[in-house]
């Protein structure tokens, strides 16, 4: 039996009470628990989540939902500066904010794209803001799961706006899109979509585009880009939300454009609450989350089956040598595993 050298955990009740009273220290500890790979922690984490979830502002029927906002864009576009500006605007208006990140690079030993620099220094010191650096995990879905559960805990602690940030360089945008209400894509003028690594699919996922760094010499380019993107958005099929995506200009360093974007997000939330899109979206996301988790647990359980482990090497060898086609090999293996269990 393996013993953990870590300090003893709190009890489930202590976590739950601490989170619900908005104790940031306990909230942090609870997120650490969720991020833990130890199975003993997983069981406590499950109980904590289960107890806080029905009383979060997002339980169906609750009056005030926390807004879940996803923000993406290539490295250097200004995400952390923008989140700092938006976050400061919100906390100054009396709205509390939690910032979480899904960092696709954090699994690599070289460290993360986002985590190496000091980020959001002002916001991180504000008592109404909670900033949690990226979770680490062995695969992107694992990181996303931890971020999603961390988000639920932050909501239970009473934070009113969740900002989930990710670098727009790959699959992580889809993971974040699937856990938020509103998805914001930050862009640069004149860089060209390809240069920014932006695929059409990502633009289609966005509820609003923001051309950042619309200041100084860049202002004219930014205005042109805004026109071009507005036209491009008109060519897309109508958004399921019922709200036509808009293109904004911002200067995160000069705090320009932030309020307009926030007003758009608020209006989006009101419209989609009225037309029931928001509830449908969240139900769909919950279900999708369940199926993804179920799928990964089934794969894990199956791969741990003794006869799977004993039969696998021989079948792999036949596939490698081209003796057995891959599809047939996979089917045969599964049939053999089930027939012996
Ligand atoms: P991230 O990698 O997307 O998080 O980008 P950062 O927020 O770290 O910003 C990258 C660089 O762009 C920094 O040097 C910022 O000061 C700068 N930057 C961010 N927003 C703006 C802006 O609106 N205007 C200008 N001129 N520079 C900005």
């Amino acid at each position: 039996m393996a013993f953990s050298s870590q300090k003893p955990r709190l009890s489930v009740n202590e976590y739950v009470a601490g989170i619900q009273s908005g104790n940031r220290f306990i909230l942090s500890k609870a997120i650490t628990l969720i991020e833990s790979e130890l199975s003993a922690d997983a069981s406590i984490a499950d109980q904590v989540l289960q107890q806080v979830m029905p009383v979060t502002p997002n339980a169906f029927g609750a009056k005030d939902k926390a807004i879940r906002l996803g923000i993406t864009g290539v490295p250097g576009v200004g995400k952390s500066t923008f989140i700092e500006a938006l976050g400061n605007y919100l906390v100054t208006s009396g709205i509390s904010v939690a910032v979480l990140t899904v960092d696709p690079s954090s699994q690599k030993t070289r460290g993360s794209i986002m985590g190496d620099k000091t980020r959001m220094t002002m916001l991180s010191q504000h008592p109404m803001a909670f900033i949690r650096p990226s979770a680490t995990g062995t695969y992107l879905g694992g990181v996303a799961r931890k971020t999603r559960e961390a988000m639920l805990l932050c909501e239970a602690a009473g934070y009113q706006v969740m900002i989930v940030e990710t670098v727009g360089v790959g699959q992580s945008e889809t993971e974040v899109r699937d856990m938020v209400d509103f998805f914001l894509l930050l862009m640069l003028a004149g860089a060209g979509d390809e240069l920014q690594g932006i695929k059409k699919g990502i633009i289609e996922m966005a509820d609003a585009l923001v051309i950042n760094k619309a200041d100084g010499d860049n202002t004219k380019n930014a205005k042109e880009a805004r026109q071009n993107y507005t036209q491009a958005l008109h060519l897309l099929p109508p958004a399921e939300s019922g709200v036509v995506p808009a293109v904004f200009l911002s200067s995160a360093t000069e705090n320009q454009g932030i309020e307009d974007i926030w007003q758009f997000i608020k209006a989006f939330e009101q419209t989609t609450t009225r037309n029931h899109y928001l509830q449908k979206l969240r139900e769909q996301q919950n279900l999708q989350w369940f199926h993804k988790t179920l799928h990964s647990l089934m794969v894990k359980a199956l791969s741990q089956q003794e006869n799977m482990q004993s039969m696998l090497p021989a079948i792999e060898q036949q596939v490698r040598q081209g003796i057995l086609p891959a599809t047939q090999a996979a089917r045969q293996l599964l049939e053999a595993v089930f027939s012996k269990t």
Side-chain angles (χ1 to χ4, degrees):
M1 184 179 167
F3 288 99
S4 158
S5 58
Q6 297 184 3
K7 287 187 204 131
R9 301 283 184 245
L10 302 175
S11 71
V12 172
N13 286 347
E14 283 167 325
Y15 280 117
V16 172
I19 292 166
Q20 288 176 342
S21 66
N23 182 321
R24 291 146 58 107
F25 176 68
I26 295 186
L27 173 62
S28 260
K29 278 183 83 79
I31 296 177
T32 306
L33 187 75
I34 273 173
E35 290 172 355
S36 164
E37 304 285 348
L38 299 172
S39 57
D41 287 341
S43 138
I44 305 177
D46 280 352
Q47 293 176 59
V48 172
L49 267 173
Q50 202 187 348
Q51 289 201 23
V52 297
M53 267 189 68
V55 289
T56 66
N58 289 312
F60 289 118
K63 238 174 63 212
D64 297 312
K65 280 194 186 355
I67 297 181
R68 298 172 179 171
L69 178 61
I71 295 186
T72 192
V74 291
V77 69
K79 289 180 299 301
S80 75
T81 317
F82 181 88
I83 293 171
E84 167 112 315
L86 175 62
N88 280 322
Y89 169 77
L90 293 173
V91 292
T92 328
S93 319
I95 301 169
S96 56
V97 184
V99 182
L100 305 165
T101 53
V102 172
D103 184 345
S105 61
S106 61
Q107 318 140 35
K108 296 178 190 154
T109 46
R110 284 287 174 84
S112 72
I113 299 176
M114 302 197 286
D116 294 345
K117 53 191 172 172
T118 314
R119 314 178 86 237
M120 303 166 218
T121 40
M122 258 173 76
L123 186 63
S124 61
Q125 284 165 29
H126 198 284
M128 287 177 76
F130 179 83
I131 299 180
R132 178 77 180 192
S134 174
T136 53
T138 44
Y139 68 104
L140 182 59
V143 179
R145 174 185 68 75
K146 291 167 186 177
T147 308
R148 193 183 154 95
E149 291 179 352
M151 180 173 82
L152 298 175
L153 293 184
C154 291
E155 288 174 354
Y159 288 94
Q160 293 159 292
V161 176
M162 306 293 131
I163 299 182
V164 185
E165 175 196 8
T166 193
V167 181
V169 289
Q171 198 201 335
S172 61
E173 297 95 320
T174 316
E175 299 272 357
V176 172
R177 166 68 280 187
D178 289 345
M179 66 175 96
V180 297
D181 307 328
F182 187 100
F183 194 58
L184 192 68
L185 173 62
L186 284 193
M187 304 174 88
L188 295 171
D193 288 0
E194 267 167 45
L195 204 66
Q196 295 191 58
I198 291 167
K199 294 176 215 89
K200 189 163 155 273
I202 297 170
I203 295 186
E204 284 174 10
M205 284 194 269
D207 297 296
L209 308 185
V210 174
I211 320 272
N212 190 38
K213 306 197 186 183
D215 46 44
D217 294 345
N218 207 21
T219 313
K220 188 168 162 279
N221 274 347
K223 285 183 178 161
E224 266 175 33
R226 181 185 191 177
Q227 258 182 339
N228 292 340
Y229 280 116
T230 308
Q231 278 168 7
L233 285 179
H234 277 123
L235 301 176
L236 296 178
E240 264 182 73
S241 64
V243 180
V244 180
V247 188
F248 292 91
L249 298 182
S250 78
S251 170
T253 41
E254 293 175 17
N255 277 312
Q256 295 294 317
I258 307 296
E259 188 173 352
D260 286 350
I261 294 162
W262 176 245
Q263 292 308 331
F264 185 77
I265 296 168
K266 285 286 296 172
F268 176 93
E269 198 224 359
Q270 281 159 8
T271 308
T272 55
T273 301
R274 264 198 312 269
N275 69 14
H276 306 293
Y277 166 79
L278 196 55
Q279 173 152 358
K280 263 190 275 173
L281 178 73
R282 286 197 175 186
E283 283 176 0
Q284 200 183 321
Q285 288 175 344
N286 285 346
L287 206 57
Q288 187 184 27
W289 195 251
F290 162 72
H291 282 295
K292 265 191 186 172
T293 312
L294 182 64
H295 182 258
S296 65
L297 289 181
M298 286 194 309
V299 169
K300 199 171 161 194
L302 206 56
S303 63
Q304 283 168 349
Q305 290 276 332
E306 216 174 284
N307 48 13
M308 168 70 97
Q309 285 178 352
S310 61
M311 286 186 278
L312 193 60
I315 294 217
E316 276 180 346
Q317 177 71 353
Q318 291 183 34
V319 172
R320 222 182 343 249
Q321 292 172 344
I323 299 169
L324 255 187
T327 312
Q328 192 188 339
R331 281 208 190 98
Q332 264 184 24
L333 179 61
L334 263 196
E335 275 165 24
V337 169
F338 280 120
S339 70
K340 287 185 185 166
T341 37

